[in-house]
Amino acid sequence: MDVLDLAMQGLAVFGFILFFVLWLMHFMSIIYVAAYLHHVDNVVSVLQYEVLLCIQDLDDPAVDVCKKLLGKYPNVDARLFIGGKKVGINPKINNLMPGYEGAKYGLVWICDSGIRVKPDTLTDLTNQMTEKVGLVHGLPYVADRQGFAATLEQVYFGTSHPRSYISANVTGIKCVTGMSCLMRKDVLDQAGGLVAFAQYIAEDYFMAKAIADRGWKFSMATQVAMQNSGSYSIGQFQSRMIRWTKLRINMLPGTVLEPVSECFLSSLIIGWAAHYVFRWDMMVFFMCHCLAWFISDYIQLTGVQGGAVCYPVPVCDWLCVLCATLCLSVIGSV
């Protein structure tokens, strides 16, 4: 057997393993979303809470908005911190430091300003904070907005991202996005407090790792973390994906193989493997595999949405979205 035959057999084996792993991820994600997300918990928490608003720049328009809110609800235990505290290279940690130092309760909910919450979001988070859980996080998703850029974000965060995010958490791999996280403050303090993570850009990864290293479990909220940024575009989405990909590759070098987990490239590899072993028509298999992928993605998207999506998803749009996701993954890996 020459080297070429051995390499082709190895690629065929890789294709079948890829098929099994990817569809296992599809099914785990779809089942988890259907069984868990958007299901109302019957437990009712009696909450004592404070609202700590942290704004870095004194000239930020959000300062006036926060002051108006404080005036409108004088009976709510809330404070505004402006200017942050320079403790490291991470701007988010710098901004949050005064609020963290002034926090008086044992649980800290770090919620980005671009996250839209419901009246019972905090209750949902605290209901998942059982005695063995040290961190509760929300699956990132995107609020309904207008335009192709908004559709691109919503399809990505309703299909490709949750497939990896949920599969990782179901199989015990700690995968946390820090845009909406409820954490035990004493556990963070054991790890050195918030200041200990100011040296990292991906502070959410290292905070989650510190909590896991101390024996605490993670739980996912039944509500999604609804991103609702007022500024969005294809360029901003591209920059964000490239930044995330570079961070993942630096922290977990194995994620350099991420592009092969996307629809078209994986379908080509698996289709070639099916042709090499079974002599099936490669292009017919490729088209059928893509169709099955689109259907499973749509099922998952409606599950994450909690109902029918508010826009039509024609095949051309879906192809554009998947092509864009693949291209951005490849660009970020370079």
Side-chain angles (χ1 to χ4, degrees):
M1 182 181 295
D2 58 24
V3 176
L4 180 59
D5 287 339
L6 188 62
M8 293 177 71
Q9 290 183 13
L11 182 59
V13 171
F14 174 75
F16 289 121
I17 294 174
L18 184 65
F19 177 84
F20 173 78
V21 171
L22 290 179
W23 281 101
L24 179 62
M25 292 172 64
H26 272 289
F27 290 131
M28 280 194 298
S29 181
I30 290 172
I31 292 170
Y32 183 92
V33 167
Y36 188 72
L37 281 190
H38 306 294
H39 286 208
V40 178
D41 199 324
N42 292 324
V43 178
V44 178
S45 299
V46 179
L47 297 175
Q48 275 190 318
Y49 64 91
E50 60 179 341
V51 180
L52 307 174
L53 304 167
C54 301
I55 300 176
Q56 182 68 47
D57 190 354
L58 181 62
D59 298 325
D60 194 317
V63 173
D64 291 334
V65 175
C66 290
K67 287 181 177 178
K68 289 179 181 178
L69 285 172
L70 294 175
K72 186 176 180 179
Y73 301 98
N75 296 325
V76 174
D77 186 1
R79 286 175 285 170
L80 174 61
F81 299 88
I82 303 174
K85 182 178 180 181
K86 179 68 174 179
V87 293
I89 62 172
N90 188 305
K92 180 175 178 177
I93 298 294
N94 292 338
N95 184 37
L96 293 177
M97 276 306 300
Y100 182 84
E101 292 173 344
K104 59 187 179 184
Y105 294 116
L107 299 177
V108 177
W109 178 24
I110 296 179
C111 184
D112 290 357
S113 60
I115 298 296
R116 178 192 293 178
V117 301
K118 298 179 179 178
D120 61 343
T121 298
L122 182 55
T123 300
D124 177 44
L125 290 167
T126 54
N127 283 343
Q128 314 308 319
M129 185 64 79
T130 58
E131 61 180 10
K132 294 183 179 181
V133 173
L135 183 150
V136 181
H137 55 112
L139 172 68
Y141 190 49
V142 181
D144 295 336
R145 295 173 299 184
Q146 298 296 317
F148 181 78
T151 303
L152 176 66
E153 282 195 341
Q154 198 167 53
V155 171
Y156 172 76
F157 281 102
T159 57
S160 178
H161 188 270
R163 184 165 55 250
S164 301
Y165 195 94
I166 292 173
S167 299
N169 281 282
V170 168
T171 55
I173 300 172
K174 306 306 179 187
C175 181
V176 172
T177 301
M179 58 187 67
S180 177
C181 283
L182 183 69
M183 293 171 279
R184 295 186 183 272
K185 189 173 185 291
D186 60 339
V187 180
L188 286 178
D189 289 339
Q190 292 170 18
L194 204 60
V195 66
F197 305 98
Q199 60 181 310
Y200 307 113
I201 295 298
E203 80 292 334
D204 47 5
Y205 170 83
F206 290 100
M207 290 166 74
K209 184 177 184 301
I211 293 172
D213 289 346
R214 285 159 177 77
W216 292 90
K217 295 182 179 181
F218 295 176
S219 181
M220 195 181 299
T222 65
Q223 295 183 16
V224 296
M226 191 71 74
Q227 303 171 80
N228 190 37
S229 174
S231 174
Y232 56 94
S233 66
I234 294 176
Q236 288 175 319
F237 177 77
Q238 177 183 4
S239 298
R240 187 183 191 188
M241 292 300 102
I242 292 174
R243 184 175 70 253
W244 279 10
T245 302
K246 288 180 177 178
L247 285 172
R248 286 197 298 270
I249 291 174
N250 287 331
M251 295 182 296
L252 301 169
T255 56
V256 71
L257 295 176
E258 246 182 26
V260 302
S261 69
E262 298 299 339
C263 177
F264 296 133
L265 187 54
S266 65
S267 295
L268 285 172
I269 294 172
I270 297 168
W272 179 88
H275 171 73
Y276 180 79
V277 175
F278 303 114
R279 296 304 171 187
W280 293 350
D281 188 290
M282 179 176 172
M283 291 312 299
V284 171
F285 185 95
F286 171 83
M287 295 173 66
C288 291
H289 191 263
C290 287
L291 177 61
W293 192 293
F294 294 164
I295 293 171
S296 64
D297 266 359
Y298 186 76
I299 293 171
Q300 181 179 278
L301 176 60
T302 56
V304 176
Q305 173 82 3
V309 293
C310 65
Y311 51 85
V313 188
V315 173
C316 59
D317 276 6
W318 208 294
L319 290 174
C320 289
V321 167
L322 291 173
C323 283
T325 303
L326 174 61
C327 292
L328 294 176
S329 299
V330 173
I331 292 172
S333 302
V334 176

